[in-house]
Amino acid sequence: MREVIPLSIPVISGNEWAYVKECLDSGWVSFGSYVDRFEDDFKKYVGSKYAVALVNGTSALHLSLITLGAEPEDEVLVPSLTFIATVNVVRYCSASPVFIDCDSDTLCINPKRVEEFLEKETELKSDGYSYNKKTGKRIKVLIVVHMYGHPADMDSLVRISKKYNISLVEDATESLGSEYRGKKTGCFGDVACFSFNANKIITTGGGGMLVTDNEAIAKRVKYLSQQAKSDSIEYTHDDIGYNYRLTNIQSAIGVAQLEKIEEFVSIKRKNFEAYKELLDDLPNVKLLSEMEWAKSNYWLYTLKVSAEKREPLMAYLNSSGIQVRPVWKPIHTHQMYQGFQKGPLKNSMNAYETGINIPCSTNLKGDEVKAVAGKIREFLKK
Ligand SMILES: Cc1ncc(COP(=O)(O)O)c(C=O)c1O
């Protein structure tokens, strides 16, 4: 058993070395065929028509908003309970976020709260868009995060986005391999974004993927990610582009990692069941589990305890060599986001005040799961 049980670390145990060696031996380190192969394998796995490999999940979210036409006078509906990148990209476009609460079971954006905001706070104008009655701004995009791997309620969210003519982005950075009613996350929005940061279920060191069924969006994302260069020889650029493309070396790692995704999902799910069995009988502790319509990749396992126990339990576990972390701090509480409009955010605050994420790496061993559960029990019995 490890001295420190990490929260979430990568497992590099397949063809990564062989594929990277090929890149290094051939000199194809930046551009190369692994980029195409990663994109092809990825779109087949997720079930989308197009995939564009990008430098990280944040750049994928940024290019989503640009290609969907989020402009400075627009508003974007976002969950407050998410990682900060989901919301920062809204500000990269000089648009404004509107913060919506989450569902207390899934921690994903609550469709009822989204619809409530649109019904009460907006009015439909003759251009076919809904405008915020208070700010006069157009509601252009809804970003949905599949929180910690658990899919959001996509039937409701797709229906609402259609009804109000709002583009839908899935922030699927945490949910590769998860399914909503038998279909992979990433197949529901106008676009979806994935992350291959080192703590994610598969990694390329750093990396991202944008998937879509819309050919024009895919082409534009590819073009913008390569400095918007419009001639293969001449340095002619028709737009302000970005250097957001993923390298061949990183894509080679991605191809090898993706070969293992089903194994990784199955390990995550097995370890979740083991935690559940060991913790289920504890009063005042809730391990968040999937809804009957969902298959979660269980990227992170979230435990809810009472607000008074959350800090001391985290301190106890961290000092016992068990790396745990709090649930994301709701974005509306950060100083740069306090001035933006928000609905009631009770569930988001409660998740933050009571939630702890516990070790979940795909190389977590049975005795380590027992040790983590044992320490949690030990603390809560005191
Ligand atoms: C919900 C969410 N959105 C966006 C990101 C950003 O992805 P990246 O770190 O690859 O830029 C992450 C993860 O880091 C995330 O968890």
Side-chain angles (χ1 to χ4, degrees):
M1 200 167 80
R2 289 170 279 200
E3 227 166 81
V4 174
I5 304 174
L7 180 73
S8 181
I9 55 164
V11 172
I12 317 277
S13 59
N15 287 319
E16 290 84 351
W17 281 273
Y19 296 166
V20 168
K21 186 169 186 308
E22 211 180 302
C23 299
L24 299 178
D25 287 344
S26 67
W28 288 100
V29 291
S30 191
F31 288 94
S33 61
Y34 274 110
V35 179
D36 299 335
R37 193 165 148 193
F38 190 29
E39 289 174 346
D40 282 347
D41 292 356
F42 199 87
K43 73 185 182 205
K44 274 185 207 126
Y45 179 70
V46 169
S48 64
K49 284 197 186 142
Y50 307 95
V52 184
L54 297 166
V55 75
N56 50 40
T58 307
S59 62
L61 287 163
H62 186 196
L63 291 183
S64 300
L65 292 187
I66 292 174
T67 49
L68 291 170
E71 292 178 357
E73 281 310 300
D74 288 336
E75 286 181 340
V76 177
L77 307 185
V78 291
S80 184
L81 192 71
T82 182
F83 181 62
I84 195 109
T86 314
V87 185
N88 281 345
V89 296
V90 176
R91 297 301 293 142
Y92 295 173
C93 299
S94 303
S96 302
V98 175
F99 295 106
I100 309 284
D101 207 4
C102 66
D103 172 80
S104 59
D105 291 322
T106 66
L107 305 187
C108 299
I109 198 164
N110 186 333
K112 281 200 189 94
R113 298 286 95 81
V114 176
E115 195 153 31
E116 212 168 81
F117 170 81
L118 289 164
E119 259 169 30
K120 290 190 185 148
E121 306 282 342
T122 70
E123 60 189 348
L124 183 67
K125 288 205 178 162
S126 56
D127 62 359
Y129 289 105
S130 290
Y131 284 77
N132 189 326
K133 287 190 233 171
K134 278 198 191 102
T135 61
K137 295 186 176 188
R138 178 175 69 157
I139 314 293
K140 189 68 178 76
V141 182
L142 163 64
I143 306 181
V144 167
V145 182
H146 302 299
M147 269 286 290
Y148 296 145
H150 194 290
D153 176 1
M154 293 315 295
D155 280 349
S156 308
L157 293 159
V158 167
R159 178 187 60 74
I160 295 165
S161 68
K162 289 208 164 99
K163 180 174 165 192
Y164 288 90
N165 191 20
I166 300 172
S167 301
L168 182 60
V169 174
E170 287 176 80
D171 180 339
T173 46
E174 302 172 354
S175 70
L176 181 62
S178 301
E179 293 172 15
Y180 174 80
R181 298 195 191 280
K183 211 166 129 183
K184 292 262 171 359
T185 56
C187 287
F188 297 89
D190 294 292
V191 297
C193 304
F194 292 86
S195 165
F196 313 122
N197 189 31
N199 63 354
K200 297 297 187 291
I201 192 162
I202 70 164
T203 188
T204 58
M209 191 76 78
L210 183 147
V211 303
T212 180
D213 283 347
N214 183 316
E215 188 181 3
I217 290 179
K219 280 192 172 151
R220 184 144 176 83
V221 166
K222 190 82 173 174
Y223 166 75
L224 288 175
S225 74
Q226 302 186 353
Q227 303 284 24
K229 190 165 180 281
S230 52
D231 188 280
S232 59
I233 307 289
E234 289 291 336
Y235 290 95
T236 305
H237 306 264
D238 289 341
D239 220 319
I240 296 175
Y242 301 84
N243 185 8
Y244 276 179
R245 58 177 189 80
L246 195 69
T247 65
N248 203 42
I249 293 181
Q250 288 167 307
S251 300
I253 299 173
V255 170
Q257 286 270 292
L258 194 60
E259 289 169 355
K260 296 262 184 174
I261 182 68
E262 284 303 302
E263 185 186 327
F264 289 163
V265 172
S266 132
I267 293 170
K268 291 259 197 196
R269 293 177 61 77
K270 214 173 83 222
N271 283 335
F272 173 81
E273 290 305 326
Y275 270 130
K276 195 164 163 55
E277 210 174 302
L278 293 163
L279 296 170
D280 227 16
D281 64 311
L282 279 177
N284 308 322
V285 173
K286 188 179 174 196
L287 187 62
L288 293 190
S289 54
E290 68 194 7
M291 299 288 103
E292 81 283 356
W293 40 262
K295 179 182 174 188
S296 177
N297 70 0
Y298 284 112
W299 173 54
L300 287 183
Y301 309 128
T302 306
L303 203 64
K304 274 188 169 185
V305 294
S306 68
E308 311 79 69
K309 292 265 166 70
R310 182 258 212 189
E311 286 273 0
L313 175 59
M314 273 204 303
Y316 181 70
L317 293 172
N318 279 322
S319 67
S320 310
I322 294 167
Q323 204 179 60
V324 297
R325 289 291 179 267
V327 160
W328 310 130
K329 186 172 183 181
I331 308 302
H332 73 278
T333 64
H334 291 75
Q335 53 87 12
M336 61 284 194
Y337 287 115
Q338 284 171 7
F340 293 95
Q341 196 170 352
K342 47 188 175 291
L345 291 161
K346 197 172 96 260
N347 290 344
S348 304
M349 287 311 292
N350 177 266
Y352 169 61
E353 285 158 5
T354 63
I356 298 176
N357 289 316
I358 60 176
C360 68
S361 309
T362 45
N363 61 8
L364 194 66
K365 296 284 176 292
D367 59 346
E368 292 176 324
V369 172
K370 281 190 189 132
V372 174
K375 285 282 173 198
I376 294 169
R377 294 186 81 89
E378 196 176 291
F379 178 85
L380 293 171
K381 281 202 174 144
K382 273 188 200 166

